[in-house]
Amino acid sequence: MTEFFDAKETRSADERESALFAALPGHINHAKANAPYFGTLLADVDAGAVTDRAALARLPVTRKSDLIDLQQANTPFGGLNATAKGKLYRVFASPGPIYDPEGWGKDWWRIARALYAAGFRGGDLVHNCFSYHFTPGGIMFETAAHALGCPVFPAGVGNTEQQARAVADLKPAGYAGTPSFLKIILEKAVEMGLDHSSLTKACVSGEALLPPLRQSLNDLGVDVVQAYATADLGLIAYETMAKQGLVVDEDIIVEIVRPGTNDPVTPGEVGEVVVTSFNPDYPLIRFGTGDLSAVLAGLSPCGRTNMRLKGWMGRADQTTKIKGMFVHPRQVNDVAKRFDAVTRAKLVVEKVGDGDVMTLHVESNDHNDALAAALREALQSVCKLKGDIAFHIPGALPNDGKVIEDKR
């Protein structure tokens, strides 16, 4: 029984990059030819030239926040799908609504890799408490379990007493679902005097796994790891038994970009997670998840060699309403880009008395009145609102991914 899901997990970084970027031009051409949205968006792109991260970074980002409008204009998938609706396997609806396709094939969302890293093996009964209603969570983890040869109890959500009794009667080896619901089930089992000792491992997702919750579950006998996945992209990254960051999935390209822009951040800087998926049915090219994270330096002690993410660190869409006007992160970045002396900028909004006050905090080696005046003028021109300027030395602003911070 091997420790790794497949040989991809222990490739060298050069081997992995070479394989992904060798496949990328053909995938972009596939998207252009078969997904109308990408055919228009990338019409002027020479796919054959997109063979490294620098070239990929020059392509536009399509953000999850764009999907509702795109899908309403072109139902049901906004033209981002390369496989026609009538040839899909299933269709789901996420809140928004956002409609999500599923194509034919084994482990279509690639979640099996995360379950394997969590210790699931063929023959383990999986107590699956992700929802089977409208959204794809339940099916995502069920099909992954089946790919590993694991039977599934499709428990879904709710019915806590019945869940606890099913654990006692069926004796599942592991759990899939949110960590908070797992705690509820286990505590109900304890309250009812039911045996839950068979359940020793869990792969959780859908909410933050904070250290106190992880410890509570561990105290109840369950070793818990996380999977970071979305209904659009499938698996993005997953935790291993090392529990030191989330290892990026082998079949996608992940970038971290400055919120509101298409521009990759410096290594270790917090930004928006942007994913290029090689899914032929739903070929999402530079898809902005709206989630904040950062690359964790070094390799995982578990032996997997792919890059790691620090985990979920907030939301990238920081659009804020100030004095009746919406201000977007891209506007703050547009102001900063007008000045070579400015290396970074962050807009802070506060309530002073009965009014809103905004201050543009900038990192720069030049702290002078002329630059401050020019920044104030640019801020008003771009955002249509007046604001103060505060200077900081380079590196002084927090590495938290926030381009707009609302303190009101």
Side-chain angles (χ1 to χ4, degrees), residues 92 109 111 128-143 176 231:
F92 298 93
W109 278 282
I111 304 290
N128 186 8
C129 287
F130 283 107
S131 174
Y132 283 79
H133 178 67
F134 271 66
T135 59
I139 294 295
M140 290 169 74
F141 280 78
E142 177 166 308
T143 54

Side-chain angles (χ1 to χ4, degrees), residues 35-377:
Y37 171 81
F38 288 110
T40 300
L41 183 71
L42 306 178
D44 297 328
V45 171
D46 176 9
V50 188
T51 56
D52 56 28
R53 287 183 179 268
L56 179 61
R58 288 191 284 272
L59 303 186
V61 172
T62 299
R63 290 186 157 83
K64 184 161 185 165
S65 55
D66 300 329
L67 285 186
I68 294 176
D69 289 342
L70 288 171
Q71 291 188 354
Q72 287 179 349
N74 183 5
T75 57
F77 306 117
L80 282 74
N81 55 308
T83 298
K85 180 180 66 176
K87 295 184 178 181
L88 294 169
Y89 188 48
R90 297 185 183 94
V91 175
F92 298 93
S94 296
I98 293 174
Y99 296 105
D100 307 302
E102 180 193 9
W104 294 77
K106 183 179 178 181
D107 189 30
W108 191 82
W109 278 282
R110 310 177 321 282
I111 304 290
R113 188 181 300 280
L115 287 180
Y116 196 90
F120 289 81
R121 298 294 185 270
D124 288 341
L125 176 61
V126 180
H127 191 102
N128 186 8
C129 287
F130 283 107
S131 174
Y132 283 79
H133 178 67
F134 271 66
T135 59
I139 294 295
M140 290 169 74
F141 280 78
E142 177 166 308
T143 54
H146 290 164
L148 295 180
C150 296
V152 174
F153 175 61
V157 297
N159 305 304
T160 308
E161 288 193 10
Q162 291 175 278
Q163 300 272 8
R165 289 192 183 279
V167 169
D169 293 341
L170 296 174
K171 294 182 170 41
Y175 167 93
T178 63
S180 60
F181 192 49
L182 174 58
K183 184 171 184 284
I184 289 170
I185 293 172
L186 295 176
E187 289 178 341
K188 179 58 71 172
V190 171
E191 176 189 322
M192 297 173 67
L194 299 173
D195 178 26
H196 62 80
S197 61
S198 69
L199 212 164
T200 59
K201 54 198 170 191
C203 186
V204 301
S205 192
E207 63 186 26
L209 177 60
L210 300 176
L213 179 54
R214 190 199 291 269
Q215 185 59 54
S216 294
L217 293 170
N218 191 260
D219 292 343
L220 288 162
V222 185
D223 194 0
V224 181
V225 296
Q226 306 171 75
Y228 171 28
T230 72
D232 332 270
L233 295 159
L235 184 65
I236 297 173
Y238 58 100
E239 196 173 29
T240 71
M241 290 303 179
K243 299 183 178 67
Q244 295 186 26
L246 304 179
V247 178
V248 169
D249 180 51
E250 295 296 329
D251 298 305
I252 59 174
I253 298 171
V254 169
E255 304 167 90
I256 307 293
V257 308
R258 187 159 289 110
T261 76
N262 297 341
D263 306 327
V265 300
T266 57
E269 185 178 347
V270 177
E272 181 179 10
V273 178
V274 169
V275 178
T276 295
S277 165
F278 286 84
N279 187 322
D281 298 307
Y282 203 37
L284 301 179
I285 312 265
R286 296 204 88 200
F287 185 77
T289 63
D291 296 323
L292 292 177
S293 193
V295 173
L296 184 62
L299 298 179
S300 173
C302 73
R304 292 169 178 83
T305 56
N306 207 346
M307 67 184 284
R308 293 178 295 165
L309 301 180
K310 289 184 178 180
W312 187 81
M313 301 175 72
R315 294 294 298 168
D317 185 5
Q318 299 154 23
T319 299
T320 304
K321 196 171 188 178
I322 308 168
K323 298 180 180 178
M325 300 282 290
F326 283 106
V327 179
H328 303 271
R330 67 174 179 272
Q331 293 174 297
V332 177
N333 286 300
D334 286 347
V335 172
K337 285 182 177 180
R338 295 186 180 193
F339 301 91
D340 292 337
V342 173
T343 56
R344 230 174 124 207
K346 176 179 182 178
L347 188 69
V348 177
V349 188
E350 299 174 280
K351 179 72 73 175
V352 177
D354 294 327
D356 296 334
V357 173
M358 65 182 200
T359 303
L360 185 66
H361 294 256
V362 299
E363 291 184 358
S364 176
N365 285 317
D366 295 335
H367 299 184
N368 58 72
D369 292 342
L371 179 57
L375 281 163
R376 278 193 293 270
E377 182 179 348

Side-chain angles (χ1 to χ4, degrees), residues 18-43:
S18 177
L20 290 171
F21 282 94
L24 186 57
H27 187 63
I28 292 174
N29 276 329
H30 168 72
K32 290 174 65 175
N34 296 285
Y37 171 81
F38 288 110
T40 300
L41 183 71
L42 306 178

